[in-house]
Amino acid sequence: VASSYHLSRQTSSPWTFWSLIKSKLLLDEPRRDNGSTETGDPAEEADQVSSEYMLNAVSDRLQSDVICCSILCVVMFAVHCSTALSTSQPYLSTVLYIMVACTGVILHYIFPQLRKNLPWVFFSRPILRSREYSMFEVTEAAHLMWYEKFYVFVCSVERNVLFPIVVLNELTRDSPAVVALYGHVLGSILIVICGVKMLRGSYTMPASQFKIFVFTVLFIKYDARQYTGPLLIAYPIVAVIYVKVEELILKLQFWLVYVCPWQITWGSAFHAVAQVCSVPHSALLTLHALVASITQAPFTPFIGSALFLTSYPRPVKFWEKNYNTKRIDHSNSRLSSQLERGPHSDHNNLNSVFYEHLTHSLQKSLAGDLELGRWGNVVAGDCFILASDYLNALVHIVEYGNGILTFQLRGLEFSGTYCQQREVEAINEGADTSESCCCCHVGKINGVLSFNSAFNQRWMAWQVIVSNYVLDGYNISDNNATTMLGVFDLRKILISYIVKSVIFFLVAHDSLDSWITNDSIREQLTSCEQPDYVDVDSMFAVAIDDDYDVWLFGISRSKFTQVYSTWIDYCCAQRAGTKNGANYSGDSKLTTLCFAISVLARRALGTASHNLSSNLDSFLYGLYSLFKGDFRITSNKDEWVFTDMNLLREVVAPGVRMALKLHQDHFACPDEYDQHEPLYTAISEYQTTMVITHEGDPMWRKAVLSNTSSLLALRRVISDMFVDQYSVITLNHRALGFNVVKVNRECVRGLWAGQQNELIFLRNRNPERGSIQNAKQVLRNMINSSCDQPIAGYPIYVSPLTTSYATTNQQLNKVIGGPITFEAVKTCFTSIIACLRQSCSGSCNSGGS
């Protein structure tokens, strides 16, 4: 019992335990406060999140297993050696069988159906509804409901008390009979094998275990009354038969749903012929399904048609390739690709980080949510689709155990193909859309599906398990930059914000004193100190520069001072109120430096725009170049900035990025930043609470994976027509609602195997082949899109095999408590002793008085 309990709580992969050993032995590596290895790469720092989570969870579980297994050994040995199990036969066995059957039906059939989106495909809404079910938009974490607490408590009793007692009862009762039949050596081996098989199944998959156990009892008691052997030996045989029959049922459901004539999707002329030919061969196809179930082989549609074939066998549980989707950013790409104008990165690579963040969110909460019953009954091999407005991903359950889960997430494109969008709409649309019965409009009962709706839902290879499943994620806002900067007035506002932001970062910088007193900078800016100085350049224009002097055909120092002097003085006054230094209000040297650096920023923008200030596409490309940090200093007037490169990195670059955020705010409240105080407050707040950077910067990925509250970026994407499209991407960290769709796992295996046969063996390279077209009854396009590359699919992100532990789910810990670690036991004993001492001292004081 203790060994089975420990094995059920650990993953089958040995690398997890080996990683823990290495982390404990390699003590010479410098480590940060959170325990991760010190590294200078932001991307590597972000990757430490998952590994640290795994190591801490494994360490806690091993400590808990040491304590719990020791207690189990003592308790179970005492129960086995006592006469409690032997003297009360056969009544005890009958009572235990009834308890297992009743508990299993209530927990693993009635409860999941009551919580389904369409209970029994009869009711139109869940009977046990979560608080988030009726919300239009989820804004906070999921609320822990009373029935979830009840479900977790009863499941814990079933898994840790009822099933071990039942198995121990069978071992105690049937061991003499097994030894008598097979001898001491072979009998002992069979007892151990069958006992471990029953116990591991009880701990890892109680939803299937109770059915296997009940079928075994019914088979021995009634179907095979002449069988006089022990139930302990019959159980593994019935378990294998149960798995094969369940797989056969799933294959037949997939086949019948796929070929039903009232919703078949024709992919080509061959499909029309194959549909008719499949009817007289139904018996042969059923035989194919039976053979496929016995051999554990996928049942695949031939070229996506209604004719099904048996593929080659696959193992029951397999470890997928350990993908590490390669990201493309400034840390692993050539400098030329970052600077040159070309289609070096598409939006799919940029969006993949959101699926990576979703994987980390699932890693922290998924195992606990499954223990709370939020995804219904789950077994290894199940496939689910998470569907929302932007994120659509397939989650493959690779291994499922006692409070442990290994899964793999495959993220699909944000703006998918026409077929993918049709299937997403089929998932998100309401099921109760009809009030008809066959051809008659007879109405329906409130809360109950109509006949047509119920009929259509039963002929689907998928079902929505839960609506508004809450996960930690980012709300993505995509605003077209062309509409934001299409007219000169809007560009003029942006240039004004760039100048003000650059002045803000310059005045607030710690090195301002050294820059003002730097002899090299002052010598190169001597000409700018003249009151009548004017910078004449074709980059500047009266249409976009507030301080452009139309009489002098350039940006003059006097006009600059007239427009921005009050802002400079306000920034200096705010600096004087801090520890950075004295007040520079009215200082001509500071005004000169502000003038020079504002001119430099605008000239850099014009240079990147190829001097085409009237051309919107060129202006956006120049803004994009400055946003990602590509500054081209081509004028002799601006070479003074090379005295200290921090002027570019820490003043001009953040100023340009901050200006884009301020320009976005301008659309919500145009007059908000006309006063200096709200503008200064906004820049200061955004500087500390928001990450504004290019998506290719490794800091962007680190900020996303670190759950930064707000982010902003300017994105450039090359469209299919080779036209640049610019958009402002805004991210806000919040709770997201997903529709969780459970897909027939044999449907997924069959479609994936069919694509392998078609592309690898038949060499069909048609990008518009019928086998990947829209078929909403089986979600054919979404499933095939998530397949491995280069077979058929094109997922933008495939996660590595990710292990989730139930002990990291905070809501589950509130119900059953956290892991039983040595530190927790020590704290518990310390608190008990402290309470006893306090009570004893109180008793002595009262007695003395």
Side-chain angles (χ1 to χ4, degrees):
V1 175
S3 300
S4 301
Y5 174 81
H6 170 69
L7 292 174
S8 69
R9 288 170 50 84
Q10 305 300 323
T11 178
S12 299
S13 174
W15 302 112
T16 304
F17 188 67
W18 174 241
S19 300
L20 178 64
I21 294 177
K22 288 198 301 183
S23 67
K24 299 299 182 183
L25 294 180
L26 300 179
L27 301 177
D28 54 339
E29 294 185 6
R31 307 181 72 82
R32 295 193 302 270
D33 292 337
N34 61 354
S36 57
T37 304
E38 189 70 42
T39 176
D41 187 0
E44 293 181 5
E45 292 179 5
D47 290 335
Q48 292 289 338
V49 175
S50 179
S51 60
E52 289 298 322
Y53 160 86
M54 181 188 66
L55 294 177
N56 293 333
V58 170
S59 177
D60 291 345
R61 290 176 74 84
L62 288 176
Q63 295 179 48
S64 178
D65 285 358
V66 170
I67 298 171
C68 294
C69 289
S70 302
I71 297 174
L72 277 175
C73 286
V74 176
V75 173
M76 290 300 171
F77 185 75
V79 173
H80 173 70
C81 292
S82 67
T83 59
L85 298 178
S86 57
T87 57
S88 55
Q89 299 296 341
Y91 306 107
L92 177 61
S93 297
T94 305
V95 171
L96 290 175
Y97 298 158
I98 296 174
M99 291 179 63
V100 168
C102 295
T103 306
V105 169
I106 294 173
L107 287 181
H108 307 299
Y109 177 70
I110 296 179
F111 249 85
Q113 287 292 341
L114 293 176
R115 298 178 62 178
K116 272 187 179 179
N117 205 48
L118 301 174
W120 290 283
V121 197
F122 179 77
F123 298 98
S124 59
R125 58 177 181 265
I127 297 175
L128 296 178
R129 292 186 289 274
S130 64
R131 178 175 294 184
E132 300 78 31
Y133 174 77
S134 58
M135 291 183 180
F136 175 75
E137 188 176 18
V138 178
T139 57
E140 56 185 11
H143 184 74
L144 186 62
M145 306 300 291
W146 66 268
Y147 53 81
E148 292 177 336
K149 299 178 182 178
F150 174 78
Y151 179 81
V152 170
F153 175 75
V154 180
C155 282
S156 299
V157 173
E158 179 197 37
R159 177 188 287 120
N160 299 306
V161 179
L162 181 58
F163 272 127
I165 291 177
V166 170
V167 176
L168 193 63
N169 175 68
E170 296 303 320
L171 289 170
T172 305
R173 190 188 66 172
D174 293 342
S175 293
V178 173
V179 172
L181 287 173
Y182 301 101
H184 286 83
V185 177
L186 181 59
S188 300
I189 295 174
L190 290 176
I191 289 171
V192 171
I193 293 175
C194 296
V196 171
K197 170 69 175 175
M198 295 179 69
L199 284 165
R200 287 206 65 182
S202 303
Y203 283 123
T204 56
M205 49 179 186
S208 301
Q209 180 74 7
F210 91 94
K211 289 184 284 186
I212 298 173
F213 195 81
V214 170
F215 287 152
T216 305
V217 173
L218 295 177
F219 177 78
I220 292 177
K221 297 293 184 181
Y222 300 100
D223 298 300
R225 296 179 181 177
Q226 69 278 9
Y227 175 76
T228 58
L231 182 144
L232 192 64
I233 302 299
Y235 170 84
I237 301 173
V238 176
V240 173
I241 296 174
Y242 170 82
V243 172
K244 299 300 180 183
V245 172
E246 184 183 39
E247 185 177 339
L248 175 62
I249 293 173
L250 292 175
K251 290 182 187 296
L252 292 177
Q253 288 177 347
F254 168 46
W255 165 46
L256 294 174
V257 167
Y258 194 88
V259 303
C260 57
W262 53 86
Q263 60 181 8
I264 190 68
T265 302
W266 311 109
S268 62
F270 175 73
H271 288 67
V273 178
Q275 175 69 21
V276 178
C277 294
S278 66
V279 176
H281 296 88
S282 298
L284 180 61
L285 292 178
T286 305
L287 180 61
H288 267 284
L290 179 61
V291 173
S293 301
I294 296 174
T295 60
Q296 196 64 31
F299 195 43
T300 64
F302 180 68
I303 318 182
S305 67
L307 298 177
F308 278 70
L309 300 177
T310 301
S311 182
Y312 59 86
R314 267 76 162 178
V316 177
K317 183 176 66 177
F318 58 95
W319 288 99
E320 287 275 15
K321 179 182 177 182
N322 197 358
Y323 290 88
N324 285 295
T325 302
K326 184 179 180 181
R327 68 189 188 278
I328 301 176
D329 56 30
H330 291 173
S331 66
N332 58 6
S333 57
R334 295 178 179 272
L335 181 62
S336 60
S337 66
Q338 302 172 26
L339 302 179
E340 295 174 358
R341 186 170 188 172
H344 303 292
S345 179
D346 60 4
H347 61 288
N348 284 335
N349 174 70
L350 300 175
N351 290 333
S352 64
V353 68
F354 301 117
Y355 287 112
E356 189 174 2
H357 180 268
L358 185 65
T359 302
H360 289 182
S361 298
L362 284 171
Q363 184 182 32
K364 295 178 182 178
S365 62
L366 183 54
D369 288 341
L370 295 188
E371 295 292 317
L372 291 168
R374 290 175 176 170
W375 283 29
N377 295 327
V378 179
V379 297
D382 279 348
C383 294
F384 296 85
I385 289 179
L386 296 178
S388 68
D389 294 336
Y390 289 97
L391 301 173
N392 297 286
L394 186 142
V395 179
H396 177 206
I397 308 299
V398 178
E399 184 181 34
Y400 185 46
N402 182 9
I404 189 173
L405 170 76
T406 301
F407 68 94
Q408 191 172 51
L409 183 138
R410 300 165 180 266
L412 303 181
E413 293 177 310
F414 275 22
S415 55
T417 60
Y418 173 84
C419 292
Q420 177 181 324
Q421 294 304 315
R422 299 293 77 76
E423 293 178 355
V424 172
E425 291 173 2
I427 291 174
N428 293 328
E429 69 182 6
D432 198 12
T433 57
S434 173
E435 295 185 358
S436 302
C437 178
C438 296
C439 300
C440 304
H441 185 78
V442 296
K444 64 182 184 66
I445 304 173
N446 187 26
V448 178
L449 292 173
S450 66
F451 177 84
N452 285 6
S453 297
F455 180 83
N456 291 332
Q457 288 298 316
R458 290 182 182 275
W459 285 93
M460 296 286 184
W462 52 271
Q463 186 177 4
V464 178
I465 298 298
V466 59
S467 296
N468 273 349
Y469 171 69
V470 183
L471 267 179
D472 211 20
Y474 280 96
N475 181 35
I476 305 169
S477 175
D478 188 345
N479 297 320
N480 193 340
T482 303
T483 59
M484 297 173 58
L485 298 166
V487 296
F488 284 107
D489 288 343
L490 295 177
R491 298 185 215 174
K492 191 173 186 178
I493 294 172
L494 176 64
I495 296 297
S496 175
Y497 284 143
I498 289 177
V499 174
K500 291 182 178 180
S501 299
V502 168
I503 293 173
F504 171 88
F505 285 104
L506 176 67
V507 175
H509 202 279
D510 294 337
S511 302
L512 178 63
D513 298 335
S514 62
W515 289 336
I516 291 178
T517 58
N518 189 292
D519 294 336
S520 177
I521 295 177
R522 291 181 60 187
E523 181 180 351
Q524 297 180 68
L525 297 180
T526 302
S527 58
C528 297
E529 295 179 355
Q530 304 300 324
D532 57 347
Y533 176 80
V534 59
D535 196 319
V536 180
D537 200 317
S538 60
M539 309 285 185
F540 311 133
V542 66
I544 59 176
D545 293 301
D546 282 333
D547 52 352
Y548 187 87
D549 196 325
V550 294
W551 302 106
L552 300 176
F553 303 102
I555 297 178
S556 64
R557 176 189 168 110
S558 60
K559 191 63 178 289
F560 172 83
T561 305
Q562 178 183 349
V563 176
Y564 295 108
S565 61
T566 57
W567 172 246
I568 296 174
D569 292 341
Y570 185 85
C571 293
C572 291
Q574 297 300 315
R575 175 187 174 92
T578 64
K579 61 180 180 179
N580 288 334
N583 190 353
Y584 285 94
S585 299
D587 190 337
S588 61
K589 298 176 183 177
L590 176 61
T591 304
T592 301
L593 187 59
C594 292
F595 171 75
I597 201 167
S598 67
V599 170
L600 179 147
R602 284 178 278 185
R603 201 188 329 267
L605 176 60
T607 302
S609 304
H610 307 292
N611 301 345
L612 298 174
S613 58
S614 61
N615 187 294
L616 177 60
D617 183 68
S618 297
F619 180 83
L620 288 173
Y621 178 75
L623 179 63
Y624 175 77
S625 298
L626 264 63
F627 191 90
K628 69 178 182 180
D630 181 12
F631 291 90
R632 307 292 177 94
I633 307 301
T634 58
S635 175
N636 295 333
K637 302 176 183 178
D638 299 330
E639 290 184 354
W640 62 271
V641 78
F642 295 131
T643 305
D644 190 345
M645 292 301 295
N646 286 333
L647 285 164
L648 281 178
R649 288 194 294 260
E650 300 176 8
V651 175
V652 181
V656 173
R657 294 168 180 168
M658 184 63 69
L660 187 63
K661 172 58 181 172
L662 298 174
H663 187 265
Q664 247 198 337
D665 295 346
H666 170 79
F667 290 93
C669 188
D671 302 329
E672 181 181 7
Y673 297 146
D674 289 348
Q675 302 297 323
H676 295 327
E677 182 178 356
L679 177 60
Y680 191 94
T681 303
I683 298 177
S684 302
E685 182 179 352
Y686 291 148
Q687 185 183 9
T688 56
T689 62
M690 195 171 193
V691 173
I692 306 176
T693 184
H694 183 249
E695 289 180 279
D697 192 335
M699 291 299 297
W700 173 267
R701 177 171 175 265
K702 177 185 177 183
V704 171
L705 298 183
S706 301
N707 295 328
T708 304
S709 59
S710 298
L711 299 96
L712 184 139
L714 180 63
R715 175 181 291 185
R716 169 177 169 262
V717 176
I718 306 297
S719 65
D720 296 336
M721 303 302 295
F722 298 99
V723 178
D724 291 353
Q725 295 180 352
Y726 298 91
S727 56
V728 180
I729 306 297
T730 306
L731 306 181
N732 291 306
H733 186 259
R734 45 161 290 185
L736 298 179
F738 291 86
N739 285 334
V740 180
V741 181
K742 186 173 184 178
V743 187
N744 185 336
R745 61 177 180 269
E746 293 302 321
C747 171
V748 178
R749 296 177 73 235
L751 291 177
W752 283 358
Q755 290 300 310
Q756 186 186 46
N757 293 333
E758 185 174 358
L759 272 77
I760 303 300
F761 298 104
L762 300 180
R763 301 288 183 179
N764 184 3
R765 298 299 181 187
N766 183 8
E768 294 297 331
R769 56 191 179 275
S771 60
I772 60 172
Q773 301 304 316
N774 169 38
K776 69 176 184 178
Q777 71 271 20
V778 292
L779 302 179
R780 183 168 62 188
N781 184 265
M782 295 185 72
I783 292 173
N784 285 333
S785 298
S786 62
C787 187
D788 289 340
Q789 295 179 352
I791 295 176
Y794 36 88
I796 66 176
Y797 176 77
V798 180
S799 73
L801 291 174
T802 306
T803 303
S804 174
Y805 298 93
T807 52
T808 58
N809 189 297
Q810 300 301 323
Q811 291 185 336
L812 182 65
N813 289 339
K814 292 179 181 178
V815 181
I816 62 175
I820 308 174
T821 60
F822 297 144
E823 186 66 27
V825 174
K826 178 182 176 182
T827 304
C828 180
F829 275 107
T830 304
S831 61
I832 292 174
I833 293 173
C835 291
L836 291 176
R837 287 178 177 176
Q838 185 177 1
S839 61
C840 290
S841 62
S843 301
C844 292
N845 292 335
S846 61
S849 62

